Amino acid sequence: MIKKHERVFSIFSIGLVFVLLNSSIFLSRVDASDHYMDSLSIIRFNKKVKAPTFTLKDINGEEVKLEDYRGKIVFLNFWATWCPPCRAEMPSMEKLYTKFKDKDFTILAVDYQENSRVVKEFSEKLNLTYPILLDSDGTVGSKYGAFAIPVTYLIDQQGYLIGKAVGPRDWASNESFELFNHLLKTSPDS
């Protein structure tokens, strides 16, 4: 025979399990991007900060404006061909771009103060297909505080900074793919 206090404890336990399960589901929805950003050591922006706007030329001499990518998640990477960690992460960036380029996602790789011929030869050698821009005088890098490279900024669909990754990453990792899947699913336009 079950005693009254055992019955109350059983009902309380079942209720507690239900609350915990529901709150963990809620937390997984709310904090999923935080989890993936933490696993990639990406620094989150806690305040809404607009990404500094810019217009740069790409390696083919065409003008590219950040505003042209409004409505997309923008992966903004500052790098240089002489930087070994930058070169090391470029192939994984290409895999990330290939996986998500048909969604509301783009990579803008901003070369920091190098000759366009050198950058174009480098990109052709690695078969990079994402847009590569030239920050010839370092003005855009300075606006973003990109004093060490590689550094990557994540920008949301409305043009606000989401996070910053200092140093190289494996952008083709499962954590990275999950982060961008989540960011694209939580888009206000999806």
Side-chain angles (χ1 to χ4, degrees):
M1 176 179 261
I2 299 177
K3 296 179 183 170
K4 186 175 181 180
H5 70 280
E6 289 175 339
R7 203 175 358 190
V8 170
F9 180 74
S10 295
I11 292 170
F12 174 77
S13 297
I14 292 168
L16 181 61
V17 167
F18 179 75
V19 167
L20 290 173
L21 283 174
N22 281 333
S23 40
S24 68
I25 291 167
F26 176 73
L27 288 174
S28 69
R29 281 189 218 133
V30 171
D31 297 334
S33 65
D34 289 344
H35 166 75
Y36 298 123
M37 289 175 81
D38 288 344
S39 69
L40 292 164
S41 299
I42 296 173
I43 302 161
R44 288 181 298 284
F45 289 86
N46 294 324
K47 295 180 183 177
K48 285 192 97 157
V49 177
K50 267 293 195 197
T53 62
F54 61 82
T55 301
L56 291 172
K57 292 194 177 193
D58 68 14
I59 56 176
N60 298 313
E62 299 294 321
E63 275 195 356
V64 175
K65 297 178 184 179
L66 178 61
E67 293 85 24
D68 293 343
Y69 295 94
R70 194 63 43 85
K72 293 184 179 233
I73 296 289
V74 177
F75 179 106
L76 179 64
N77 178 268
F78 292 89
W79 68 286
T81 62
W82 51 261
C83 165
C86 301
R87 292 193 314 261
E89 77 175 349
M90 294 280 203
S92 70
M93 288 169 52
E94 180 63 29
K95 288 177 185 171
L96 179 68
Y97 181 70
T98 300
K99 183 165 181 73
F100 293 104
K101 70 180 179 182
D102 294 330
K103 299 184 180 180
D104 288 332
F105 172 83
T106 195
I107 288 178
L108 297 177
V110 178
D111 178 81
Y112 200 64
Q113 298 182 316
E114 290 187 284
N115 176 295
S116 63
R117 182 185 49 77
V118 169
V119 177
K120 189 170 186 169
E121 286 173 6
F122 175 84
S123 93
E124 288 171 353
K125 181 178 175 185
L126 288 182
N127 296 316
L128 302 176
T129 60
Y130 48 80
I132 296 178
L133 312 179
L134 303 169
D135 188 10
S136 303
D137 61 3
T139 303
V140 175
S142 292
K143 279 184 180 181
Y144 278 85
F147 301 114
I149 54 173
V151 62
T152 299
Y153 292 86
L154 304 180
I155 303 170
D156 73 11
Q157 295 90 340
Q158 290 77 41
Y160 289 97
L161 294 168
I162 302 170
K164 173 183 179 180
V166 180
R169 304 286 185 285
D170 176 5
W171 295 109
S173 68
N174 287 334
E175 292 83 8
S176 179
F177 288 166
E178 289 299 324
L179 171 62
F180 290 99
N181 269 324
H182 178 75
L183 290 174
L184 289 162
K185 283 180 189 171
T186 57
S187 144
D189 301 328
S190 55

